[in-house]
Amino acid sequence: MSAETSVKTVTEHSPEEIERVKEWINTEEYKEINFAREALVINPAHACQPLGAQMVATAFEGSLPFVHGSQGCASYFRSTFSRHFREPSAATCDAMTEDGAVFGGQANLFEGLENAYSLYKPKMIPVYTTCMPEVIGDDLTAFIKNAKQKGHVPEDLPIPYANTPSFNGTHIHGYDSMLRSILTYLTEGQKIEGKCTGKLNLIPGFDGSTGNIREYKRILDLMEIPYTVLADTSDVFDSPCDGHYKLYPGGTKIEDAAESINGKVTMAMQKYSTVNTMKFIEETYSGEKVVMPMPFGIQKTDEFLMKLSELFGKPIPEQLKAERGRAVDAMTDAHQYLHGKKFAVAGDPDYLLGIVSFLLEMGAIPYHILCSRTTKKFEKEMKALLETSPFGAQGKIYINKDLWHMRSLLVTDPVDGIIGDTHAKWAARDAKIPLFRIGFPIIDRVNMHRTPVIGYGGAVSILSMIANKFLDIKDETCENQWFEMMR
Amino acid sequence: MAERKPIKGITKDRTEKLIQETLAEMPAKAQKKRAPHLGANEPSASPCAVKSNKKVVPGVMSQRGCAYAGAKGVVWGPIRDMVHVSHGPIGCGVYSWGTRRNLMQGIPGVTSFPMDFTSDFQERDIVYGGDKKLEKLLNEANELFPLAKGFSVLSECPVGLIGDDINAVTKRMEGELDKLVVPCNCEGFRGVSQSLGHHISNDSIRDHIIGRFEFPDAPGPYDVALIGDYNIGGDVWAAKPILEEIGLNVKSVWTGDGEVEKIGATHNVKLNLIHCYRSMNYMCKVMEEKWNIPWLEYNFFGPSKIEESLRNIAERFDDTIKANVEKVIAKYKPVMQAVIDEYKPRLDGKTAMLFVGGLRPRHTVGAYEDLGIQITGSGYEFAHQDDYDRTAPEMAKGTLIYDDVSEFELEKFVEEFKPDLVGSGIKEKYVFQKSGIPFRQMHSWDYSGPYHGYEGFKIFARDIDMAINSPTWKLVKSPF
């Protein structure tokens, strides 16, 4: 405080002034100022790279995620996963502090790896970085090599690493980098010309739904296609409560990941979160390589099953055909509750494409489509998707806009429903529009991650969630004379 | 204070043996570093034998956060009428958005700002610096949120590493916007835990806020401030009415549901009542030195501690307040007894272990004891020596004291002591629940609360009973 600063009296805003601003922030004028923002981001719908890296790092059997950098970051990632999945989320870090900023983080990494290895006996320690070592330029290739040479960890312990600076990309890019790094590490020297495991390598991408992963596996089992999920979060983030805590409750077997290079087919179920991984796989893996859209709704699920059938020469079993029929039955039965309804959708690129595709199938209108950090390429792909249906004609795409922008959209040009993660609840409340929670993270409702939103079953779940909520609202808000038994 | 009765089965020998066995599984260097942080309690020992506030041992899975977390999440975030800017890359602001439960009044986006404001650093900001962007975003925020009473700028790791000068920018912008613009150099790599973030934030308040405002009405003899209550789950709203009921005038709250100008006028109160000593003792000491304002610690968890604290507070005031305190205690006694009568029969003789943050490892002990639950182990994520000195007398002889306990250690301790409840954080919660051990989050009140004050004790008792006696635990073991 400078000496010349005068002392001011504590003031209160007048009720009129508060009322004026309260109304003003819902106006077109405010929306314009809001959209003119260039520097300030308010309520983003994305997180940082190392979070995504941790999702991959935790999804291999016996794998201990290891954060190279500040300890607070590690705690934030662990808390985020534990809040979303309501599950343990083990990860350790080398707790770099000021001296690390000056001397680099090698000493921390040595000690951290040594302690993590002897305390937690992991089969693999994937390392990923926070901002700090990225800014000071730590050389992880050298550090990890040195750690092994100096005997802090055994030479043969897999320690893949990924550079995951938070000032670049989002959590989906960290997912991509870490997966690429782990696969590069584990498959090195494993390729055998002419050998084929006959298996499908299925890459789910950054997916906060363990239900989705289980659904992929159920479908593959039904089709009798052998598979390796790269990487399988389902048993890690959806483990049984049986009286025994397991630090490593499951995940993709390291041998299976190593063998994946000799697979028959590698299929990515998300495009934007697997770009670099698929580039690596294109260059090195045997077999076919396919990138599929997430199987939201009927047609994308059809595409998925037909592709599997085509690639593996297996028929689509009657059971799945019946499931399709039941899902279509549910959709035709309930189409009237969604037809023509407008939606705002926010989330990660691959999820957005899937959700919009489903809405178009229902005759619903994807109206405000928002991704808070992505590329022109995504915008183009979304535009093309909207153009496939008359119901897409009103859809407007907002890239690199945040949930405060979305609030302005919702209050000036309202919709019937919002689809997004928990963070969208503030805008939803202000606009008095119901929020349907699909995405990551969901930290204010239980068990959402356990129910698949992909596949035929997923379509029924989403449809039921939305239609029944609309009917609840009608029952709760209609005047007496319009309240009736049937809906 | 009378020393607590020993807890059945808990002896110094057993505890020390457990510590030795746990340490034995660590590499030599880690053993040496961790050993001083673990001990068997000696209630009368001063200073407490356990070492604290040292660096995290790399690789051990500590539960600690960082200076930014202590600054943004703890001290600044709860001030409701300021825009708090997470300055740097996207993550820190997102992870700390709405995840501490420091509830606040107001109209979001109009008079209160429970939102995530960030400069979302990109590669070019790292290369060219973020000062210009900061200046621009402050202008934008001021335009979009005209009723904000000010801005705090909370540095994330890169800011301090690339040599930005947020202090110069905020100083300039304060003049330009004619509003508080407060820099807080709380990069996450600074210090050993959240604790330094608290201290840095206190210093920012000292340098930029306190003394710059005055209350419109004349100071009165009963003017107090609540310091270090962050309104988790509404705790302030349960504590403040008690103080008002005894006749005190709560002029400001630091910082739960806080208003920055009132915080800036706190140097006019007669007494500072401090709840979280760890995170705010610094400012109490500053106000004591500079403005001769005495301060007093209080604890409103459980009726025993509420009574003790109210009487301590009364000692600082005249007979009117003293009489009021006795009236209030008498009024709530039967209400609290009814709560105890309802829950204690199901909880008496149970044990619990705690591992939390700034004050709860000691402050909540009394509330558990009011329900008949004994605490067999307790420790802090980021405490200092003075916290442990205040803890030793609150715990029975031979109980476990652990500082910055790692997941590995806490698991071993719980396995041996087999408490009926573990009270800790989100990262620990599911580890213990998978083992079939009832758990309550003691940072966030597990999405419940308030736990503070008379109103809070009712909820605390209900929640602890619910956790320990939920029939769901009986289903954990499969019959086949």
Side-chain angles (χ1 to χ4, degrees), chain A residues 1 38 75 99 120 239, chain B residues 55 60 64 136 207 434:
Chain A
M1 183 182 61
E38 288 176 351
S75 283
D99 47 356
Y120 302 109
S239 68
Chain B
K55 276 186 192 173
V60 305
R64 276 183 178 171
K136 192 170 193 177
D207 295 343
K434 294 282 178 199

Side-chain angles (χ1 to χ4, degrees), chain A residues 13 29 41 55 62 68 76 103 149 178 216 236 252 265 291 301 305 380 479:
Chain A
H13 297 300
E29 180 197 336
V41 169
M55 181 182 264
H68 175 56
Y76 276 143
F103 303 111
Q149 269 171 5
M178 190 79 251
Y216 288 129
V236 180
T252 307
V265 177
V291 178
T301 306
L305 298 183
K380 223 172 124 189
E479 289 169 12

Side-chain angles (χ1 to χ4, degrees), chain A residues 1 5-13 17-18 21-22 24-25 30 33-34 37-44 46-48 51 64 70-72 75-80 82-83 86-88 90-95 97-99 101 108 111-112 115-116 118-120 131-132 135 166-168 239-245 373 404 423 426, chain B residues 26-27 29-30 33 55-66 68-69 89-91 94-97 99 107 109-111 114-118 120-123 126 133 136-137 140-141 143-147 149 157-158 161-162 178 189-193 207 211-214 216 261-262 407-408 411 426-427 430-431 433-435 476:
Chain A
M1 183 182 61
T5 312
S6 60
V7 177
K8 294 178 178 171
T9 303
V10 172
T11 53
E12 306 266 352
H13 297 300
E17 181 68 352
I18 292 170
V21 175
K22 193 178 149 189
W24 177 60
I25 68 168
Y30 186 88
I33 303 171
N34 192 15
R37 257 192 288 142
E38 288 176 351
L40 177 64
V41 169
I42 310 168
N43 299 355
H46 65 279
C48 66
L51 181 85
L64 182 66
S70 307
Q71 71 204 23
S75 283
Y76 276 143
F77 311 144
R78 295 178 63 204
S79 302
T80 302
S82 284
R83 288 185 179 118
R86 300 187 193 238
E87 291 283 325
T92 189
C93 81
D94 56 13
T97 51
E98 286 103 330
D99 47 356
N108 292 69
E111 196 181 343
N115 285 332
S118 50
L119 285 176
Y120 302 109
C131 295
M132 188 190 181
V135 173
S166 305
F167 43 83
N168 198 335
S239 68
C241 179
D242 59 4
H244 302 285
Y245 165 64
R373 181 140 321 267
W404 192 253
H423 290 118
W426 294 91
Chain B
M26 297 181 193
K29 199 173 164 192
K33 282 189 180 178
K55 276 186 192 173
V56 163
V57 179
V60 305
M61 218 184 297
S62 160
Q63 311 291 10
R64 276 183 178 171
C66 61
Y68 165 88
I90 192 80
V94 172
Y95 307 128
S96 58
W97 174 20
T99 49
I107 305 167
V110 179
T111 56
M115 295 144 68
D116 174 18
F117 300 89
T118 175
D120 188 11
F121 264 28
Q122 300 299 306
E123 200 114 27
I126 302 289
K133 191 176 202 179
K136 192 170 193 177
L137 79 77
E140 290 173 356
E143 192 178 4
L144 287 165
F145 307 103
L147 300 188
K149 292 281 181 82
C157 286
L161 295 171
I162 60 175
D178 194 25
F189 60 81
R190 294 190 196 279
V192 302
S193 70
D207 295 343
R212 289 180 63 177
F213 293 88
E214 58 188 11
E261 293 180 354
K262 291 182 182 172
E407 188 157 311
F408 174 81
E411 259 188 85
I426 183 70
K427 300 189 289 299
Y430 303 103
V431 168
Q433 291 196 171
K434 294 282 178 199
S435 310
V476 170

Side-chain angles (χ1 to χ4, degrees), chain A residues 45 303 387:
Chain A
E303 242 179 85
E387 281 165 4

Side-chain angles (χ1 to χ4, degrees), chain A residues 351-400:
Chain A
Y351 255 76
L352 285 173
L353 289 164
I355 292 164
V356 165
S357 168
F358 168 75
L359 291 174
L360 295 176
E361 279 182 348
M362 285 304 306
I365 297 166
Y367 197 67
H368 305 304
I369 302 154
L370 183 137
C371 187
S372 66
R373 181 140 321 267
T374 188
T375 55
K376 287 269 180 205
K377 201 176 156 201
F378 164 79
E379 190 178 22
K380 223 172 124 189
E381 188 175 354
M382 180 58 83
K383 196 162 168 273
L385 174 64
L386 291 172
E387 281 165 4
T388 61
S389 162
F391 297 97
Q394 298 179 66
K396 285 178 286 282
I397 308 160
Y398 300 91
I399 65 165
N400 305 327

Side-chain angles (χ1 to χ4, degrees), chain A residues 201-346:
Chain A
N201 300 314
L202 184 127
I203 302 176
F206 186 97
D207 197 335
S209 168
T210 52
N212 282 356
I213 315 293
R214 291 197 194 286
E215 179 66 0
Y216 288 129
K217 296 201 298 189
R218 190 185 69 91
I219 289 171
L220 295 171
D221 286 336
L222 282 171
M223 290 193 66
E224 297 178 346
I225 294 172
Y227 59 85
T228 298
V229 177
L230 297 170
D232 190 349
T233 50
S234 61
D235 287 343
V236 180
F237 285 136
D238 185 20
S239 68
C241 179
D242 59 4
H244 302 285
Y245 165 64
K246 294 179 196 72
L247 178 59
Y248 306 112
T252 307
K253 286 192 169 51
I254 286 177
E255 315 77 91
D256 290 347
E259 270 268 277
S260 67
I261 196 164
N262 299 312
K264 184 177 166 69
V265 177
T266 301
M267 189 182 272
M269 304 310 298
Q270 289 184 358
K271 184 179 184 177
Y272 292 88
S273 66
T274 62
V275 174
N276 288 314
T277 302
M278 287 311 283
K279 218 176 268 172
F280 164 73
I281 284 174
E282 278 294 343
E283 288 160 9
T284 58
Y285 271 43
S286 305
E288 302 259 0
K289 292 100 183 177
V290 202
V291 178
M292 298 297 292
M294 283 189 85
F296 273 91
I298 301 297
Q299 287 154 298
K300 300 290 178 209
T301 306
D302 291 347
E303 242 179 85
F304 173 51
L305 298 183
M306 289 190 296
K307 195 72 180 169
L308 288 173
S309 174
E310 174 201 323
L311 291 166
F312 284 85
K314 303 254 185 183
I316 298 169
E318 281 305 312
Q319 185 178 334
L320 286 172
K321 211 168 169 185
E323 279 180 25
R324 183 189 193 280
R326 289 196 293 271
V328 172
D329 190 55
M331 288 163 79
T332 50
D333 288 351
H335 72 272
Q336 67 207 58
Y337 306 109
L338 264 70
H339 190 102
K341 292 277 193 286
K342 287 182 185 170
F343 286 85
V345 200

